[in-house]
Amino acid sequence: MAKSYKEIMNDITTFVFDVDGVLTDGSVFVTNEGEMLRTMNIRDGFALKVAVESGYNICIISGGSNEGVRIRLKNLGIINIHLGSPDKVKTFKAYTQINNINAEQVLYMGDDIPDYNVMQLVGLPSCPQDACPEIKTISRYISHINGGKGAVRDVIEQVMRVQGKWNTYFDGKLD
């Protein structure tokens, strides 16, 4: 019998996220100068920081190449940021090989066709509620939250709760 997504969450050591449609809601604001601006959810950022500080591997793989996104993610403590990636499978394989990561221990959250092939390589393919139908079909976990609205927080918090690490992270910090 196949493992449930909660059982798979016990084995997750690594989170890989797309940016547009996952860490953002997929909207782009274009200025008169042609600069494309995105918004990110502060709770997603908090969960990413907690995951980094708790020892999880975090990797970002995106076809987009906005340097503001890179700065935001670096400020959260993320060092493996691959923007402007034309081949997500190649980037993912290189990342896991260099860092000696077992793909079965990876949760990848994507939302659209460019994520499809790499999502088939991981232990827990997941997506936001508003992902495209093809991605929903292959996802083992579909968040009840849309991209850019807390879907990243949802999966990080769930994994950390299953592993007993969410509440222990805050021990002594809430007094």
Side-chain angles (χ1 to χ4, degrees):
M1 187 164 111
K3 286 183 174 182
S4 71
Y5 76 86
K6 288 279 190 184
E7 291 172 313
I8 296 169
M9 285 181 173
N10 271 313
D11 301 326
I12 298 302
T13 63
T14 304
F15 295 97
V16 179
F17 297 104
D18 178 31
V19 173
D20 293 322
V22 174
L23 284 164
T24 77
D25 68 3
S27 298
V28 177
F29 300 97
V30 182
T31 68
N32 288 337
E33 294 77 30
E35 184 177 5
M36 293 188 282
L37 306 174
R38 295 156 173 84
T39 60
M40 292 183 164
N41 186 288
I42 202 75
R43 290 187 182 129
D44 285 345
F46 177 71
L48 285 164
K49 187 172 177 54
V50 168
V52 167
E53 291 175 0
S54 297
Y56 290 91
N57 304 305
I58 308 286
C59 179
I60 306 299
I61 303 176
S62 176
S65 57
N66 184 291
E67 285 306 306
V69 168
R70 184 184 309 277
I71 292 166
R72 166 75 175 138
L73 296 170
K74 277 187 174 184
N75 286 340
L76 296 173
I78 300 169
I79 56 174
N80 291 293
I81 304 167
H82 305 275
L83 303 180
S85 177
D87 184 342
K88 291 184 177 192
V89 169
K90 184 176 180 182
T91 302
F92 174 77
K93 286 182 176 181
Y95 167 74
T96 54
Q97 183 177 14
I98 289 167
N99 293 285
N100 198 27
I101 295 169
N102 179 346
E104 287 297 312
Q105 296 175 307
V106 174
L107 180 151
Y108 184 105
M109 181 173 265
D111 73 302
D112 209 346
I113 300 302
D115 302 304
Y116 188 91
N117 289 332
V118 69
M119 287 176 69
Q120 293 187 306
L121 302 176
V122 304
L124 186 53
S126 62
C127 68
Q129 177 60 42
D130 58 345
C132 75
E134 294 85 353
I135 295 300
K136 284 183 166 184
T137 298
I138 63 167
S139 292
R140 293 290 306 272
Y141 176 72
I142 300 172
S143 176
H144 63 283
I145 303 171
N146 287 346
K149 304 296 182 189
V152 168
R153 163 76 176 255
D154 175 40
V155 295
I156 290 173
E157 186 174 338
Q158 281 202 54
V159 167
M160 290 185 71
R161 283 187 186 278
V162 164
Q163 296 180 5
K165 295 180 181 178
W166 184 258
N167 290 338
T168 56
Y169 174 83
F170 299 105
D171 284 348
K173 295 179 182 172
L174 301 178
D175 297 329

